[in-house]
Amino acid sequence: MTYQSEIAKADTLIGGQGHWDGIAPESVARMRVQNRFNTGLDIARYTAKIMRADMAAYDADPANYTQSLGCWHGFIGQQKMISIKKHFGTTKGRYLYLSGWMVAALRSEFGPLPDQSMHEKTSVPALIEELYTFLRQADARELGMIFRDLDTAREEGDEVKAAKLQQQVDAYETHVVPIIADIDAGFGNAEATYLLAKKFIEAGACCIQIENQVSDEKQCGHQDGKVTVPHEDFLAKIRAVRYAFLELGVDDGVIVARTDSLGAGLTKQIAFTREAGDIGDLYNGFLDCEAVDADAIGHGDVLISRNGQLMKPRRLPSNLYQFRPGTGEDRCVLDCITALQNGADLLWIETEKPHIGQIGGMVSRIREVIPDAKLVYNNSPSFNWTLNFRQQVFDAWEAAGRDVSAYDRAKLMSVDYDSTDLGIEADERIRTFQKDAAREAGIFHHLITLPTYHTAALSTDNLAKEYFGKAGMLGYVKGVQRQEIRQGIACVKHQNMAGSDIGDDHKEYFAGDAALKAGGAHNTMNQFAA
């Protein structure tokens, strides 16, 4: 559908009414073009197709991996996508990530909370809707500026420029991209997960990430005390999400199954077993048990039978059961295989460090059963990336017989190592981590869960230090505004970014020459025209 065809369609509609005086077909066409998506379901269906195409492209060539950054506010997500379009000319392969951690820490009515699913269920779909509201507004703003240039070209009689601007409208790439949305452990039973997943999808989410922790014991993946559920419980929630997608007509919706088993040493339940070797029996096989005689059973002991022998699982006073030490990787692999066999599309393995060899080793085992298995991976701020990679380089050099006597492994974070060969090689490994891991460890999508949490804190600290110190107002002007101007940051014209020009356009549509517009000669935003 081209811009001219939209004008023609609107003209036919208006002409057929006979009494819609003052309604201009081109104004209607502009408003329609500026608001391409009428509902969240329209967005979910559109973005699901993008993700599926990107997944196929990755299967063909792992250099086609995708990326995202976590955003905790619609404005943050909007500015991210505006920046991506400015620097790279396209949003292809770039998504948004919605972190349950950041919702808990920044968006709950209870105030800042730990990542334990204590925030309001509806706060996550509310943020999905907010993000897409801001992304759609970015479209309206940018297209509005093209329409203003088009009007100027027409007024100046420049038909060539006008034609080029119309082509820009027809070829316009939206800021609306897929969001990978974190539903934590589902906020309750499978029915609760299904109901909440519908809210996610109706708000626009084409991709939902769900984890295998116990819902009421959920912990951040990088903290201790994680408790997993039996496979059948987790698979029921995966099915619940799939049913929600199918009910709402998002047939190619994407499910990311996250396993926290690598760092989780506890379970709340002993799985139900129908026969030896079934999925429940495999789960129970990881329990830390001791053999007991029938004559030595204690009061209140819980027992299971394993290969004809009576066993007592180790149970804590919290009523949780322990897994055998060292079984985390095996449990991760089983989690991933069963999830993919029961409706999940992508995997997320929460690791304790960013180590390509560790991740790739697990993915290789999974791919023995599911050849096209691929991961979403958390490039987490919870990792000390500098220390981890300097340690990896140190250990690799030491194993290769290289002299590492100039380095103290216990003090590798020191600034003294920044310009050394070790520090430089570690930084290079960090720089290429995403590309290398996509190729060697099956990672389709790289994300940073909570980067904008940290950037907001860092930039605020820098401004506070300068503005409230000796620099005074120069602290803001030199550190913020001057940089915005020189780097071409769009929101330096903050009135325009907030929709002032869009509002002026609408006033003109509605009232014609009688419109009282804000963008006149005395608008201070004109100081930033140069």
Side-chain angles (χ1 to χ4, degrees):
M1 189 69 69
T2 66
Y3 180 49
Q4 288 300 321
S5 64
E6 282 288 353
I7 295 173
K9 188 166 68 172
D11 187 42
T12 300
L13 174 64
I14 294 165
Q17 298 301 318
H19 58 279
W20 284 359
D21 293 346
I23 303 295
E26 187 161 16
S27 297
V28 173
R30 289 182 178 188
M31 294 177 81
R32 286 179 171 177
V33 169
Q34 287 174 293
N35 184 28
R36 175 176 171 182
F37 305 98
N38 293 317
T39 69
L41 285 175
D42 292 334
I43 293 172
R45 294 181 186 119
Y46 168 77
T47 53
K49 288 179 172 53
I50 291 174
M51 277 200 75
R52 291 291 178 177
D54 286 347
M55 289 160 66
Y58 174 82
D59 287 339
D61 182 355
N64 296 318
Y65 63 90
T66 56
Q67 300 167 290
S68 65
L69 295 174
C71 300
W72 53 272
H73 192 278
F75 178 73
I76 301 296
Q78 178 198 63
Q79 293 305 302
K80 178 189 138 182
M81 298 318 301
I82 288 173
S83 295
I84 286 171
K85 283 191 73 174
K86 179 183 77 171
H87 291 297
F88 305 103
T90 179
T91 61
K92 182 173 175 55
R94 279 88 176 197
Y95 306 162
L96 294 181
Y97 180 67
L98 192 161
S99 161
W101 192 102
M102 283 211 283
V103 172
L106 298 170
R107 301 295 300 244
S108 173
E109 293 183 7
F110 296 115
L113 294 172
D115 185 21
Q116 296 172 350
S117 291
M118 293 188 290
H119 53 281
E120 304 84 353
K121 293 181 181 181
T122 54
S123 59
V124 184
L127 179 53
I128 297 170
E129 183 176 5
E130 178 183 294
L131 284 162
Y132 280 128
T133 296
F134 273 79
L135 294 183
R136 289 160 64 198
Q137 191 261 10
D139 285 355
R141 169 189 165 272
E142 196 166 75
L143 282 162
M145 292 191 293
I146 297 174
F147 291 140
R148 285 166 178 257
D149 291 342
L150 176 59
D151 290 340
T152 300
R154 288 172 174 172
E155 290 168 4
E156 295 173 350
D158 191 338
E159 295 182 6
V160 174
K161 185 175 181 181
K164 287 183 178 179
L165 289 165
Q166 287 194 54
Q167 289 174 358
Q168 284 185 34
V169 174
D170 292 340
Y172 184 77
E173 183 182 68
T174 177
H175 292 84
V176 170
V177 296
I179 289 176
I180 298 176
D182 184 2
I183 202 169
D184 281 7
F187 287 87
N189 61 16
E191 175 69 5
T193 301
Y194 153 77
L195 292 171
L196 184 55
K198 285 181 63 177
K199 290 291 186 185
F200 275 45
I201 300 160
E202 288 166 345
C206 73
C207 180
I208 295 176
Q209 165 211 326
I210 187 165
E211 62 199 60
N212 70 333
Q213 289 193 46
V214 174
S215 186
D216 60 351
E217 300 282 357
K218 186 260 186 314
Q219 293 278 10
C220 172
H222 293 286
Q223 292 187 309
D224 205 356
K226 294 181 289 296
V227 184
T228 61
V229 298
H231 294 87
E232 287 287 6
D233 292 28
F234 188 49
L235 299 181
K237 291 189 176 183
I238 290 175
R239 294 187 197 104
V241 175
R242 179 62 66 201
Y243 273 110
F245 274 126
L246 295 173
E247 178 183 342
L248 295 172
V250 186
D251 296 347
D252 47 3
V254 179
I255 299 174
V256 179
R258 168 176 154 176
T259 173
D260 281 288
S261 290
L262 196 63
L266 302 168
T267 184
K268 200 168 188 177
Q269 297 168 266
I270 297 175
F272 178 73
T273 300
R274 292 177 175 83
E275 60 185 12
D278 68 10
I279 195 169
D281 191 41
L282 292 173
Y283 187 80
N284 292 340
F286 294 117
L287 292 172
D288 190 4
C289 300
E290 59 179 332
V292 294
D293 291 327
D295 297 335
I297 299 173
H299 181 72
D301 280 350
V302 173
L303 305 176
I304 63 173
S305 173
R306 183 182 290 169
N307 299 323
Q309 188 170 17
L310 209 55
M311 308 290 290
K312 182 172 73 172
R314 298 190 188 280
R315 186 166 56 162
L316 304 179
S318 59
N319 207 33
L320 299 173
Y321 297 93
Q322 291 184 175
F323 289 114
R324 296 196 315 277
T327 62
E329 184 170 313
D330 290 339
R331 284 183 279 125
C332 273
V333 170
L334 185 59
D335 293 341
C336 292
I337 291 171
T338 54
L340 291 175
Q341 289 173 332
N342 287 269
D345 302 291
L346 296 167
L347 303 171
W348 174 317
I349 300 176
E350 195 71 34
T351 64
E352 81 286 358
K353 59 182 180 294
H355 193 290
I356 293 174
Q358 178 195 38
I359 304 161
M362 287 186 280
V363 172
S364 294
R365 293 177 61 188
I366 296 163
R367 284 182 166 177
E368 291 175 5
V369 182
I370 314 287
D372 65 346
K374 45 192 167 288
L375 270 63
V376 171
Y377 187 70
N378 177 9
N379 295 189
S380 177
S382 295
F383 303 143
N384 184 332
W385 285 76
T386 302
L387 181 61
N388 267 289
F389 276 83
R390 288 182 180 181
Q391 288 175 340
Q392 288 180 37
V393 172
F394 182 97
D395 293 343
W397 285 5
E398 188 175 51
R402 186 166 171 174
D403 182 13
V404 291
S405 60
Y407 305 99
D408 183 345
R409 195 179 188 280
K411 298 178 180 179
L412 289 177
M413 269 301 295
S414 172
V415 67
D416 295 338
Y417 296 135
D418 286 1
S419 299
T420 64
D421 289 346
L422 184 144
I424 291 168
E425 180 168 332
D427 282 353
E428 179 62 11
R429 290 192 184 193
I430 294 170
R431 187 186 71 82
T432 64
F433 174 81
Q434 294 186 340
K435 178 180 69 175
D436 296 341
R439 182 184 64 252
E440 299 172 21
I443 297 177
F444 157 72
H445 185 79
H446 285 276
L447 61 90
I448 306 179
T449 42
L450 28 142
T452 52
Y453 180 88
H454 293 278
T455 55
L458 179 62
S459 61
T460 301
D461 180 79
N462 289 334
L463 175 60
K465 177 178 65 176
E466 298 297 321
Y467 177 74
F468 293 104
K470 292 181 179 179
M473 190 57 195
L474 183 60
Y476 174 78
V477 171
K478 187 176 180 181
V480 181
Q481 188 180 79
R482 195 176 295 168
Q483 298 305 313
E484 288 180 303
I485 295 169
R486 291 177 176 174
Q487 294 180 39
I489 305 299
C491 73
V492 71
K493 297 183 180 181
H494 47 257
Q495 307 287 14
N496 167 270
M497 185 58 65
S500 179
D501 288 342
I502 297 172
D504 275 2
D505 291 340
H506 292 170
K507 290 174 186 177
E508 191 169 3
Y509 300 163
F510 305 154
D513 292 340
L516 181 62
K517 297 193 288 186
H522 297 293
N523 189 319
T524 58
M525 193 167 64
N526 294 328
Q527 297 173 20
F528 299 96

